[in-house]
Amino acid sequence: MTTSRRASRRKSRNALVLAVAAVTAAAVAPQVAQTRLADVPSTLAGAPAAVADLGAEAVTQVATTVTAATTGSFLGFDTHSYPGDRAMRRWKDASPYAWVGYYLPAAPCHASTSWAGRRETLDEMGWGMAVIYVGQQTWDGVAAPSVSHARRQLAAEGRACHKSFVTAERGNAEAEDAVATTEAEGFARGTVIFLDVEYMDRTHQRMVDYARAWVREVLADGRYRPGVYVHTRNAETLYAMVRDEYAAAGLDEEPPFWVAGGERFAPSKKPQQVGHAFASLWQGVLDVHQTWGGVRLPIDVNVAAVPSPSSHAYALSPAFALGD
C-alpha cells in the first residue's frame, strides 16, 4: 500500500475513533475507569451503535482514550532490583499500587539485569508497567571513574556508562539498543520507553543533544514511543526539545513525561500537580521502605494518569495504537 493511501486510511480511522470517543465518553467513562484493560471491549457493549463499526482494537483504543481523559491518579512504584515473584504477588494483592517501573536489562547506566524476562509474569499478575531505559548521565556532583576503562568496556561489550559518552552519537546508538531490548522483552508495538535522565545542576547542552538523538531515533524506528523521566529542575528544557521532535515527526500529541521532585506530593494528586502541565507521571517520594502483604521493599513512590503508563493501549494518539 502506498504511503498516501496508508495516511488517508489512518486519518479517517483516527477521526472515527476520536468522534466515537467523544460520543461515548459521558456514557461509559465511569465503567471503563474501573475495568481491566482486557475487559474493555465487553464493557463498551452498551455504548452507542457507532462503536459497532469499529474493530476490537479500535474499540479498545476508544475506551482507553476515554479512560486517560477522565482519570488521573494511579499509584506506582519503582525499585532498582526485581523483588521476586512472591513479593510482587503479595504487593499486587495487598498494596495500593497499580503499576511498577520495569528497568530494561543491560542499559548503559543500570547494570542489574534482574528485571529481564519478567514482563509476562508481571502482566499475568495484573501489574501495569512503565518501561525504563537508563542511558548516559552527566552525574553532576559525582566523581567520574576512569574514562579509559569505560572506553575499553564500550569496545568490548558494546555498552558502558560514563559522562564522556553523553553525546548525540551515543544517543542514537543507545536508542537502537533500547528498541531492540524492549522488543526482546516482549513489549507490544507502541509501548512507551522512558529515557531516564537523572538530576542535573543545570540542563547541559550535551544532555539535550544526547536525548534529542535518542528520541529522534526511537521515533524514526516507529516501533515504540519515546518518553522521558526527568527531574523537575530540568523538565521544561527537555520537554520543549522532545515536543519539537514529536512535531517534526508529524505527531500532534503530548510526549509522555515522568517528572521527579516537586513539593507537597500526595497519592491522591494528579501528575500535573508537580508543577508541569505536560507531566503524565510524578515521582514524589524517594528512597522509602514500605511493607505490604508481609513483604518490605525499598521503593520510590509515583502517581500516573493511567494504570499502565507504558501501555500501547493508552496512547494519546490513536495512530500509535491502531497502526497501519
Side-chain angles (χ1 to χ4, degrees):
M1 181 178 292
T2 65
T3 301
S4 60
R5 288 178 61 193
R6 280 200 303 269
S8 177
R9 187 176 72 172
R10 175 181 291 180
K11 183 177 181 180
S12 298
R13 185 167 49 184
N14 292 348
L16 178 59
V17 168
L18 292 175
V20 175
V23 171
T24 61
V28 304
Q31 296 94 321
V32 170
Q34 300 177 31
T35 303
R36 292 189 309 114
L37 185 58
D39 297 333
V40 164
S42 60
T43 301
L44 285 178
V51 174
D53 295 331
L54 297 172
E57 186 178 15
V59 170
T60 299
Q61 179 60 34
V62 169
T64 52
T65 299
V66 170
T67 303
T70 57
T71 59
S73 295
F74 294 90
L75 278 176
F77 76 92
D78 61 281
T79 187
H80 178 275
S81 300
Y82 185 66
D85 294 349
R86 174 181 172 274
M88 293 304 294
R89 287 192 180 92
R90 289 287 186 89
W91 272 52
K92 191 67 185 73
D93 292 338
S95 81
Y97 297 106
W99 59 272
V100 64
Y102 190 101
Y103 285 90
L104 290 175
C109 293
H110 188 84
S112 173
T113 59
S114 62
W115 291 86
R118 306 295 183 177
R119 182 204 59 79
E120 186 174 4
T121 298
L122 291 170
D123 188 56
E124 289 173 352
M125 290 181 194
W127 284 104
M129 282 170 264
V131 179
I132 305 167
Y133 185 84
V134 187
Q136 302 299 334
Q137 308 295 331
T138 64
W139 298 129
D140 289 9
V142 179
S146 166
V147 66
S148 59
H149 172 76
R151 286 173 179 164
R152 286 195 300 271
Q153 183 183 2
L154 181 62
E157 302 176 16
R159 54 170 57 87
C161 179
H162 199 275
K163 61 176 62 179
S164 66
F165 297 154
V166 182
T167 65
E169 180 182 12
R170 290 309 308 162
N172 186 78
E174 289 170 8
E176 295 176 358
D177 179 54
V179 167
T181 306
T182 301
E183 185 166 62
E185 289 294 300
F187 285 97
R189 299 295 175 91
T191 291
V192 175
I193 311 171
F194 288 96
L195 174 65
D196 185 316
V197 178
E198 293 294 318
Y199 171 87
M200 296 176 284
D201 293 336
R202 60 185 176 85
T203 309
H204 302 280
Q205 184 59 46
R206 56 199 173 101
M207 177 56 79
V208 175
D209 294 343
Y210 170 88
R212 182 188 298 277
W214 191 94
V215 167
R216 183 178 293 173
E217 177 58 29
V218 174
L219 287 171
D221 180 272
R223 280 175 281 181
Y224 299 108
R225 300 172 65 227
V228 175
Y229 165 95
V230 61
H231 191 271
T232 182
R233 183 186 186 106
N234 314 116
E236 293 286 345
T237 300
L238 286 180
Y239 169 75
M241 178 274 291
V242 177
R243 188 69 185 87
D244 285 348
E245 290 301 318
Y246 264 66
L251 301 173
D252 184 18
E253 65 173 272
E254 286 294 308
F257 258 70
W258 183 352
V259 180
E263 299 178 351
R264 299 193 175 116
F265 175 86
S268 60
K269 290 189 174 181
K270 295 187 177 184
Q272 296 85 352
Q273 290 178 271
V274 68
H276 304 285
F278 53 81
S280 48
L281 298 86
W282 177 9
Q283 184 181 82
V285 179
L286 297 175
D287 301 325
V288 297
H289 284 78
Q290 291 186 1
T291 301
W292 297 98
V295 177
R296 180 177 168 85
L297 295 178
I299 65 169
D300 300 331
V301 182
N302 309 264
V303 65
V306 294
S308 190
S310 279
S311 175
H312 67 291
Y314 290 99
L316 298 182
S317 167
F320 275 99
L322 296 178
D324 292 329

